[in-house]
Amino acid sequence: IMLEIPIFDAMHTKHHKLDLSDKKILYYLLKNSRISFTEIAKKVHLSKESVQYRYHKFLEKGIVLRSYATINYEKLGYQKYHILLVVDDEKKNLVKKFVSTLDTHPSVLRVIRYNDHWDFEIVVLAQNVLDFDALVYSILGQFEDIILKKDTEVVIEVQENNAFPEVRQLKLGGKVSNKNSTKKKLGEVKLDQLDLSILEILSGNARLSSYKISEKIPLSHDAISRRIKKMLASGIIKGFTCLLNYSDLDYQGYVFCFNSSNMKQSDEKKFISYYKQSPYVFSIKKMVGAWDIRNYVVVKHINDLHSLVLDFKSKFSSVVQNYQTWVIYKEYVFNPFPKVLLEE
């Protein structure tokens, strides 16, 4: 879905400041965006009405762009692939049409514009390598005239943390409950079209109650609640979180990629531990392609990025072969539930 307000926008100049209560509310919403205002109020020592008011202000100001369900695509038979492109920016109209086409493509998850080694990163869902190969041709076929360079990658593993330094550094205690969760863990679960429709709705607005969802789907709210619990227990839904406007919070996005000459499993565990402790890293992807590991980071100052890279190189000097940093110029498209998932 084309973002009216980009998650990242290097040209953004208007910034909103958050007070401590705002940050605490965002902390809990990022951990579980379906958490009730009543529960947040108890944790942050505010009234329910105050929490509700602040949340609606987040939406009104464009600080929180949406709440959504995070999906385990592999359990639905899909894997993430990346297409990296350098394009001919002199053909502005064709580039604009290209982005618009990506926005409506049923397999596209996100589209990021860089101001560096690559111009575009397109993340798509495909069932296998052959499916992905056909997908690349279907996406790029009509835009061959603007494509100057191309590379492809497959995502092996992702570690996500949808937060930002000021929130991560709060380190608030206590678990965030989920009224839809269940202690019973399920194995493989076959979803029907109603399940997928619920998943699509939750990917657009995770805060919708089962009562509201029942107005859109021919099921009772109890049946919808049971299906959500089933998808959580099976791991199809990994959780619920919020999409933030990082630029509005005065953060710039970067990607730090590196290749490893001989990373062992023990090194990988140390690396993941390092990531969990760093307030700046919000996503890590283990890849097969040009780069082994890709870190997505947010910082307010370039000095923070410089310190992060230096510290990383110092701690992992024995395994880092080479690296690059890319500047995220703008994120055009974010669609956590591509239409391909609805196909029989």
Side-chain angles (χ1 to χ4, degrees), residues 82-119:
H82 286 222
I83 306 168
L84 294 165
L85 300 173
V86 174
V87 300
D88 185 352
D89 274 318
E90 290 188 6
K91 299 176 180 176
K92 288 184 171 60
N93 288 337
L94 207 51
V95 172
K96 190 175 180 181
K97 184 181 176 184
F98 175 57
V99 174
S100 180
T101 301
L102 292 172
D103 177 43
T104 57
H105 196 285
S107 297
V108 172
L109 272 166
R110 55 200 326 166
V111 178
I112 300 172
R113 179 79 196 239
Y114 290 110
N115 199 14
D116 240 294
H117 301 274
W118 295 99
D119 291 328

Short mmCIF file of all heavy atoms in Angstrom, two decimals, residues 82-119:
data_model
loop_
_atom_site.label_atom_id
_atom_site.label_comp_id
_atom_site.label_asym_id
_atom_site.label_seq_id
_atom_site.Cartn_x
_atom_site.Cartn_y
_atom_site.Cartn_z
N HIS A 82 14.54 -10.34 -2.35
CA HIS A 82 14.84 -8.93 -2.61
C HIS A 82 15.29 -8.74 -4.05
O HIS A 82 16.03 -9.56 -4.60
CB HIS A 82 15.97 -8.45 -1.69
CG HIS A 82 15.54 -8.26 -0.27
ND1 HIS A 82 15.93 -7.17 0.48
CD2 HIS A 82 14.76 -9.00 0.54
CE1 HIS A 82 15.41 -7.27 1.70
NE2 HIS A 82 14.71 -8.37 1.75
N ILE A 83 14.86 -7.63 -4.64
CA ILE A 83 15.36 -7.19 -5.94
C ILE A 83 16.02 -5.83 -5.72
O ILE A 83 15.39 -4.91 -5.19
CB ILE A 83 14.23 -7.05 -6.98
CG1 ILE A 83 13.42 -8.34 -7.08
CG2 ILE A 83 14.79 -6.65 -8.34
CD1 ILE A 83 12.13 -8.19 -7.86
N LEU A 84 17.28 -5.71 -6.10
CA LEU A 84 18.01 -4.45 -5.98
C LEU A 84 18.23 -3.87 -7.38
O LEU A 84 18.63 -4.59 -8.29
CB LEU A 84 19.36 -4.68 -5.29
CG LEU A 84 19.28 -5.12 -3.82
CD1 LEU A 84 20.62 -5.66 -3.36
CD2 LEU A 84 18.84 -3.98 -2.93
N LEU A 85 17.99 -2.57 -7.52
CA LEU A 85 18.04 -1.95 -8.85
C LEU A 85 18.77 -0.61 -8.84
O LEU A 85 18.68 0.15 -7.87
CB LEU A 85 16.63 -1.70 -9.38
CG LEU A 85 15.69 -2.89 -9.57
CD1 LEU A 85 14.31 -2.40 -9.94
CD2 LEU A 85 16.22 -3.84 -10.63
N VAL A 86 19.46 -0.35 -9.94
CA VAL A 86 19.90 1.00 -10.28
C VAL A 86 19.08 1.38 -11.51
O VAL A 86 18.99 0.61 -12.46
CB VAL A 86 21.40 1.06 -10.61
CG1 VAL A 86 21.79 2.45 -11.11
CG2 VAL A 86 22.24 0.68 -9.40
N VAL A 87 18.44 2.57 -11.48
CA VAL A 87 17.57 2.98 -12.57
C VAL A 87 18.06 4.28 -13.21
O VAL A 87 18.89 5.00 -12.64
CB VAL A 87 16.11 3.17 -12.09
CG1 VAL A 87 15.55 1.88 -11.52
CG2 VAL A 87 16.01 4.30 -11.06
N ASP A 88 17.54 4.54 -14.38
CA ASP A 88 17.87 5.76 -15.11
C ASP A 88 16.92 6.87 -14.64
O ASP A 88 15.79 6.97 -15.11
CB ASP A 88 17.71 5.52 -16.62
CG ASP A 88 18.16 6.71 -17.45
OD1 ASP A 88 18.45 7.76 -16.86
OD2 ASP A 88 18.22 6.59 -18.69
N ASP A 89 17.41 7.70 -13.71
CA ASP A 89 16.56 8.73 -13.12
C ASP A 89 16.22 9.87 -14.08
O ASP A 89 15.37 10.71 -13.77
CB ASP A 89 17.22 9.31 -11.86
CG ASP A 89 16.89 8.48 -10.63
OD1 ASP A 89 15.72 8.08 -10.48
OD2 ASP A 89 17.80 8.22 -9.83
N GLU A 90 16.89 9.92 -15.21
CA GLU A 90 16.56 10.95 -16.20
C GLU A 90 15.18 10.70 -16.81
O GLU A 90 14.53 11.62 -17.28
CB GLU A 90 17.64 11.02 -17.28
CG GLU A 90 18.96 11.58 -16.76
CD GLU A 90 19.96 11.81 -17.87
OE1 GLU A 90 19.59 11.64 -19.06
OE2 GLU A 90 21.10 12.17 -17.55
N LYS A 91 14.74 9.44 -16.79
CA LYS A 91 13.41 9.10 -17.31
C LYS A 91 12.41 9.13 -16.15
O LYS A 91 11.87 8.12 -15.72
CB LYS A 91 13.45 7.73 -17.98
CG LYS A 91 14.41 7.68 -19.17
CD LYS A 91 14.54 6.29 -19.77
CE LYS A 91 15.50 6.30 -20.95
NZ LYS A 91 15.73 4.96 -21.51
N LYS A 92 12.17 10.34 -15.64
CA LYS A 92 11.40 10.55 -14.42
C LYS A 92 9.98 9.98 -14.50
O LYS A 92 9.50 9.35 -13.57
CB LYS A 92 11.33 12.04 -14.09
CG LYS A 92 12.64 12.62 -13.58
CD LYS A 92 12.47 14.08 -13.19
CE LYS A 92 13.68 14.63 -12.48
NZ LYS A 92 14.91 14.59 -13.28
N ASN A 93 9.30 10.21 -15.60
CA ASN A 93 7.91 9.75 -15.73
C ASN A 93 7.81 8.23 -15.68
O ASN A 93 6.90 7.66 -15.08
CB ASN A 93 7.29 10.27 -17.03
CG ASN A 93 7.01 11.76 -16.97
OD1 ASN A 93 6.88 12.32 -15.88
ND2 ASN A 93 6.94 12.41 -18.12
N LEU A 94 8.79 7.57 -16.31
CA LEU A 94 8.80 6.11 -16.33
C LEU A 94 9.13 5.54 -14.95
O LEU A 94 8.57 4.53 -14.53
CB LEU A 94 9.80 5.60 -17.38
CG LEU A 94 9.53 4.23 -18.00
CD1 LEU A 94 8.11 4.12 -18.52
CD2 LEU A 94 10.52 3.95 -19.12
N VAL A 95 10.04 6.21 -14.23
CA VAL A 95 10.38 5.79 -12.86
C VAL A 95 9.16 5.95 -11.95
O VAL A 95 8.87 5.07 -11.13
CB VAL A 95 11.58 6.60 -12.31
CG1 VAL A 95 11.80 6.30 -10.82
CG2 VAL A 95 12.85 6.30 -13.09
N LYS A 96 8.43 7.05 -12.11
CA LYS A 96 7.22 7.29 -11.33
C LYS A 96 6.17 6.22 -11.61
O LYS A 96 5.51 5.70 -10.71
CB LYS A 96 6.67 8.68 -11.66
CG LYS A 96 5.55 9.14 -10.75
CD LYS A 96 5.15 10.57 -11.07
CE LYS A 96 4.02 11.01 -10.15
NZ LYS A 96 3.58 12.41 -10.45
N LYS A 97 6.02 5.87 -12.89
CA LYS A 97 5.06 4.83 -13.28
C LYS A 97 5.49 3.48 -12.70
O LYS A 97 4.67 2.66 -12.28
CB LYS A 97 4.98 4.75 -14.80
CG LYS A 97 3.93 3.76 -15.30
CD LYS A 97 3.91 3.71 -16.83
CE LYS A 97 2.92 2.64 -17.30
NZ LYS A 97 2.95 2.50 -18.79
N PHE A 98 6.79 3.25 -12.67
CA PHE A 98 7.35 2.01 -12.12
C PHE A 98 6.97 1.85 -10.65
O PHE A 98 6.49 0.80 -10.23
CB PHE A 98 8.88 2.03 -12.29
CG PHE A 98 9.60 0.87 -11.66
CD1 PHE A 98 9.29 -0.44 -12.02
CD2 PHE A 98 10.60 1.08 -10.72
CE1 PHE A 98 9.96 -1.51 -11.44
CE2 PHE A 98 11.28 0.02 -10.15
CZ PHE A 98 10.95 -1.27 -10.51
N VAL A 99 7.15 2.92 -9.84
CA VAL A 99 6.80 2.88 -8.42
C VAL A 99 5.31 2.65 -8.24
O VAL A 99 4.87 1.87 -7.38
CB VAL A 99 7.24 4.18 -7.71
CG1 VAL A 99 6.75 4.21 -6.26
CG2 VAL A 99 8.75 4.33 -7.74
N SER A 100 4.50 3.31 -9.07
CA SER A 100 3.04 3.14 -9.00
C SER A 100 2.63 1.71 -9.31
O SER A 100 1.73 1.15 -8.69
CB SER A 100 2.38 4.11 -9.99
OG SER A 100 0.99 3.98 -9.95
N THR A 101 3.32 1.08 -10.26
CA THR A 101 3.04 -0.32 -10.62
C THR A 101 3.40 -1.26 -9.48
O THR A 101 2.68 -2.21 -9.17
CB THR A 101 3.83 -0.72 -11.89
OG1 THR A 101 3.45 0.15 -12.96
CG2 THR A 101 3.54 -2.16 -12.30
N LEU A 102 4.52 -0.98 -8.81
CA LEU A 102 4.94 -1.79 -7.67
C LEU A 102 3.92 -1.72 -6.54
O LEU A 102 3.67 -2.71 -5.84
CB LEU A 102 6.31 -1.32 -7.15
CG LEU A 102 7.51 -1.55 -8.07
CD1 LEU A 102 8.74 -0.87 -7.51
CD2 LEU A 102 7.77 -3.03 -8.27
N ASP A 103 3.32 -0.56 -6.38
CA ASP A 103 2.34 -0.35 -5.31
C ASP A 103 1.13 -1.27 -5.45
O ASP A 103 0.56 -1.71 -4.45
CB ASP A 103 1.88 1.12 -5.32
CG ASP A 103 0.80 1.40 -4.30
OD1 ASP A 103 0.93 0.91 -3.17
OD2 ASP A 103 -0.16 2.10 -4.63
N THR A 104 0.76 -1.57 -6.67
CA THR A 104 -0.44 -2.40 -6.89
C THR A 104 -0.11 -3.86 -7.18
O THR A 104 -1.02 -4.67 -7.38
CB THR A 104 -1.25 -1.84 -8.07
OG1 THR A 104 -0.43 -1.78 -9.24
CG2 THR A 104 -1.77 -0.44 -7.76
N HIS A 105 1.17 -4.20 -7.19
CA HIS A 105 1.54 -5.59 -7.52
C HIS A 105 1.18 -6.53 -6.36
O HIS A 105 1.48 -6.23 -5.20
CB HIS A 105 3.03 -5.69 -7.82
CG HIS A 105 3.41 -6.96 -8.52
ND1 HIS A 105 3.48 -8.17 -7.87
CD2 HIS A 105 3.68 -7.22 -9.82
CE1 HIS A 105 3.82 -9.10 -8.73
NE2 HIS A 105 3.94 -8.55 -9.92
N PRO A 106 0.54 -7.66 -6.61
CA PRO A 106 0.05 -8.54 -5.54
C PRO A 106 1.12 -9.24 -4.73
O PRO A 106 0.81 -9.82 -3.69
CB PRO A 106 -0.81 -9.56 -6.30
CG PRO A 106 -0.28 -9.56 -7.69
CD PRO A 106 0.15 -8.15 -7.95
N SER A 107 2.38 -9.21 -5.17
CA SER A 107 3.44 -9.93 -4.44
C SER A 107 4.40 -9.00 -3.71
O SER A 107 5.31 -9.47 -3.02
CB SER A 107 4.24 -10.81 -5.41
OG SER A 107 3.41 -11.81 -5.97
N VAL A 108 4.23 -7.70 -3.85
CA VAL A 108 5.19 -6.74 -3.28
C VAL A 108 4.87 -6.41 -1.82
O VAL A 108 3.75 -6.02 -1.49
CB VAL A 108 5.24 -5.44 -4.12
CG1 VAL A 108 6.08 -4.38 -3.42
CG2 VAL A 108 5.81 -5.74 -5.51
N LEU A 109 5.88 -6.58 -0.96
CA LEU A 109 5.77 -6.25 0.46
C LEU A 109 6.17 -4.81 0.74
O LEU A 109 5.48 -4.09 1.45
CB LEU A 109 6.69 -7.16 1.28
CG LEU A 109 6.17 -8.50 1.77
CD1 LEU A 109 7.33 -9.35 2.25
CD2 LEU A 109 5.18 -8.30 2.89
N ARG A 110 7.33 -4.43 0.23
CA ARG A 110 7.80 -3.06 0.47
C ARG A 110 8.72 -2.59 -0.64
O ARG A 110 9.35 -3.40 -1.33
CB ARG A 110 8.44 -2.90 1.84
CG ARG A 110 9.54 -3.78 2.22
CD ARG A 110 9.77 -3.85 3.75
NE ARG A 110 9.51 -2.64 4.48
CZ ARG A 110 9.39 -2.58 5.82
NH1 ARG A 110 9.50 -3.68 6.54
NH2 ARG A 110 9.15 -1.45 6.43
N VAL A 111 8.79 -1.26 -0.80
CA VAL A 111 9.66 -0.64 -1.80
C VAL A 111 10.40 0.50 -1.11
O VAL A 111 9.79 1.42 -0.56
CB VAL A 111 8.84 -0.07 -2.98
CG1 VAL A 111 9.79 0.61 -3.99
CG2 VAL A 111 8.04 -1.17 -3.66
N ILE A 112 11.74 0.41 -1.11
CA ILE A 112 12.60 1.40 -0.47
C ILE A 112 13.47 2.08 -1.52
O ILE A 112 14.02 1.41 -2.40
CB ILE A 112 13.49 0.75 0.61
CG1 ILE A 112 12.63 0.09 1.70
CG2 ILE A 112 14.43 1.79 1.25
CD1 ILE A 112 13.41 -0.74 2.69
N ARG A 113 13.57 3.39 -1.41
CA ARG A 113 14.46 4.15 -2.31
C ARG A 113 15.72 4.52 -1.54
O ARG A 113 15.64 5.03 -0.41
CB ARG A 113 13.74 5.43 -2.79
CG ARG A 113 14.60 6.31 -3.72
CD ARG A 113 14.61 5.75 -5.12
NE ARG A 113 15.68 6.32 -5.91
CZ ARG A 113 15.51 7.00 -7.04
NH1 ARG A 113 14.30 7.21 -7.51
NH2 ARG A 113 16.53 7.46 -7.72
N TYR A 114 16.87 4.24 -2.13
CA TYR A 114 18.15 4.57 -1.50
C TYR A 114 18.80 5.77 -2.18
O TYR A 114 18.46 6.12 -3.31
CB TYR A 114 19.10 3.37 -1.55
CG TYR A 114 18.68 2.23 -0.64
CD1 TYR A 114 18.22 1.03 -1.17
CD2 TYR A 114 18.74 2.37 0.73
CE1 TYR A 114 17.82 -0.01 -0.34
CE2 TYR A 114 18.34 1.34 1.56
CZ TYR A 114 17.89 0.15 1.02
OH TYR A 114 17.49 -0.87 1.85
N ASN A 115 19.75 6.33 -1.49
CA ASN A 115 20.51 7.45 -2.03
C ASN A 115 21.98 7.04 -2.03
O ASN A 115 22.82 7.76 -1.52
CB ASN A 115 20.27 8.68 -1.14
CG ASN A 115 20.63 9.96 -1.85
OD1 ASN A 115 20.82 9.98 -3.06
ND2 ASN A 115 20.75 11.05 -1.10
N ASP A 116 22.24 5.86 -2.60
CA ASP A 116 23.58 5.30 -2.46
C ASP A 116 23.91 4.33 -3.58
O ASP A 116 23.64 4.61 -4.73
CB ASP A 116 23.70 4.59 -1.10
CG ASP A 116 24.80 5.21 -0.24
OD1 ASP A 116 25.96 5.08 -0.63
OD2 ASP A 116 24.47 5.81 0.79
N HIS A 117 24.45 3.14 -3.19
CA HIS A 117 24.92 2.16 -4.17
C HIS A 117 23.79 1.64 -5.04
O HIS A 117 24.00 1.28 -6.20
CB HIS A 117 25.62 0.99 -3.46
CG HIS A 117 26.79 1.42 -2.64
ND1 HIS A 117 28.05 1.56 -3.16
CD2 HIS A 117 26.88 1.77 -1.32
CE1 HIS A 117 28.87 1.96 -2.22
NE2 HIS A 117 28.20 2.09 -1.09
N TRP A 118 22.59 1.55 -4.47
CA TRP A 118 21.41 1.11 -5.21
C TRP A 118 20.34 2.20 -5.14
O TRP A 118 20.34 3.01 -4.22
CB TRP A 118 20.85 -0.19 -4.60
CG TRP A 118 21.77 -1.35 -4.72
CD1 TRP A 118 22.62 -1.84 -3.78
CD2 TRP A 118 21.97 -2.17 -5.88
NE1 TRP A 118 23.32 -2.90 -4.25
CE2 TRP A 118 22.95 -3.14 -5.56
CE3 TRP A 118 21.41 -2.19 -7.17
CZ2 TRP A 118 23.37 -4.11 -6.46
CZ3 TRP A 118 21.84 -3.16 -8.07
CH2 TRP A 118 22.80 -4.10 -7.72
N ASP A 119 19.46 2.19 -6.12
CA ASP A 119 18.35 3.14 -6.13
C ASP A 119 17.11 2.57 -5.45
O ASP A 119 16.43 3.26 -4.70
CB ASP A 119 17.99 3.54 -7.57
CG ASP A 119 19.08 4.37 -8.22
OD1 ASP A 119 19.76 5.13 -7.50
OD2 ASP A 119 19.27 4.27 -9.45
#
